[in-house]
Amino acid sequence: MSANVIPIVDQRAASPVPVIPAHTHDPNGTLADTRGRSLRDLRISVTDRCNFRCTYCMPKDVFDKDYQFLPKNDLLSFEEIARMTRLFVGHGVEKIRLTGGEPLLRKHLDVLVGMLALIKTHDGSPLDIALTTNATLLAKQAHALKAAGLNRVTVSLDSLDEATFRAMNDVDYPVTDVLKGIDAAHDAGFASIKINMVVKKGVNDQDVVAMARYFKGSGHIVRFIEFMDVGSSNGWRMNDVVSSTDIVRMISSEMPLIQVQSNYTGEVAQRWAYADGSGEIGVISSVTQAFCATCTRARISTDGKLYTCLFAQSGHDLRALMRAGYSDKDITGAIGLVWGQRDDHYSEMRTEATAGIQKVEMSYIGG
Ligand code: SAM
Ligand code: SF4
Ligand code: SF4
């Protein structure tokens, strides 16, 4: 095990079964947590497995051949995911993001997308369904996913430099195949694809400007993400973070940028447009400029636990309620109770010391 990788304690078991409230009201989409934040986005991890070993997410030393991924029976079935989604939509969720692990490793994901596309929000609109993927399997699946009703795709790509990218995914995967996946998604009809680049100091910060330049004018939007202390296996240190302010400065010194209004309240990325009108980039500053105040996101782990924060130490076992035969009304009530008590604001409190707390891994609860 390398020096800065910390052995992990398995946090997956730490998830009590939520309480069913004695009296429940029909949800009307106005549920708020203790900080007045609504429930609007649901991220669903459809698998905890991945064909990459990104050093900042699933370091090889921890996620090795002995690592115990969830057994098949523990995974939520598509029917369970669709039911769960319906119950969350009852509380006001409008956006779904399928993630993982690598979500395209889950067989027949298009079938799940088709099931979710039938669910309507409170005002009768279709759900906004998005996917975050490393794109290795996207060329094969893009058309089927589009046909099934997937609305948006985000592709993770940390460098255009072969050596850097191969070292970061740590399975020697080439850049060219990811670019092919992006092109295939574009050809399948996905507009304005987002490209996520996690920036780690001394690892790929030298590639920020090249990444911006490559996608400038393409219609795709690169989003530069500050390296985060998700989970407890990636050896995070504040010194490894490149701030969004520095990222904007680096790009703007070569291709001037102007800050633009967010598209909606609670948008995670800050938007910056090229002064010459050739598109925009985004920066996600979860470390240097916390956005907890507008965080409307819940996460469902691969095995059906509800997490109310990306940096949570434990979840709420909704799958146990489902498999014990509780009604929609009961489980809806339990979700409402959990969200009503939510007080998470980890990014406002982060220090080097909190980074060491045993948190659940991102591949399990979904990015
Ligand atoms: N496997 C898919 C992918 O990589 O796109 C989906 C899951 S991945 C956990 C979701 C997103 O989380 C990716 O864009 C990834 O780069 C980001 N991510 C993972 N670990 C991170 C970390 N330590 N800091 C910042 N972002 C991270
Ligand atoms: Fe896999 Fe995505 Fe994590 Fe990379 S970031 S290891 S592709 S889950
Ligand atoms: Fe939301 Fe938790 Fe991130 Fe704050 S730290 S923005 S509460 S997920």
Side-chain angles (χ1 to χ4, degrees), residues 33 35 37 228 268 286 290-299 307-312 342-350:
D33 70 8
R35 295 171 173 251
R37 299 169 297 189
M228 297 184 287
V268 170
S286 30
F291 39 76
C292 299
T294 55
C295 180
T296 54
R297 286 175 296 284
R299 291 177 161 81
Y307 288 86
T308 55
C309 179
L310 179 55
F311 301 92
R342 175 186 191 240
D343 183 44
D344 301 282
H345 55 290
Y346 176 82
S347 287
E348 293 177 353
M349 307 181 307
R350 174 187 288 104

Side-chain angles (χ1 to χ4, degrees), residues 49-54 56-58 100-102 133-134 156 363:
R49 291 165 196 259
C50 189
N51 52 350
F52 278 15
R53 286 293 177 272
C54 301
Y56 53 73
C57 177
M58 298 179 78
E102 173 43 45
T133 173
N134 64 24
S156 303
S363 48

Side-chain angles (χ1 to χ4, degrees), residues 14-19 300-301 304-308 314-319 334 338-339 341:
S15 290
V17 179
V19 172
I300 297 288
S301 68
K305 289 164 188 163
L306 162 62
Y307 288 86
T308 55
S314 63
H316 308 269
D317 193 352
L318 295 180
R319 190 197 63 186
V338 169
W339 192 265
Q341 291 169 353

Side-chain angles (χ1 to χ4, degrees), residues 109-158:
L109 195 70
D110 58 311
V111 173
L112 174 64
V113 170
M115 291 163 75
L116 301 182
L118 297 174
I119 300 172
K120 298 280 182 274
T121 66
H122 263 272
D123 66 4
S125 313
L127 281 177
D128 179 19
I129 309 172
L131 169 80
T132 307
T133 173
N134 64 24
T136 50
L137 301 167
L138 193 53
K140 280 197 197 106
Q141 300 187 31
H143 276 280
L145 290 164
K146 180 73 188 168
L150 185 68
N151 301 108
R152 293 181 296 120
V153 172
T154 299
V155 171
S156 303
L157 176 61
D158 294 326

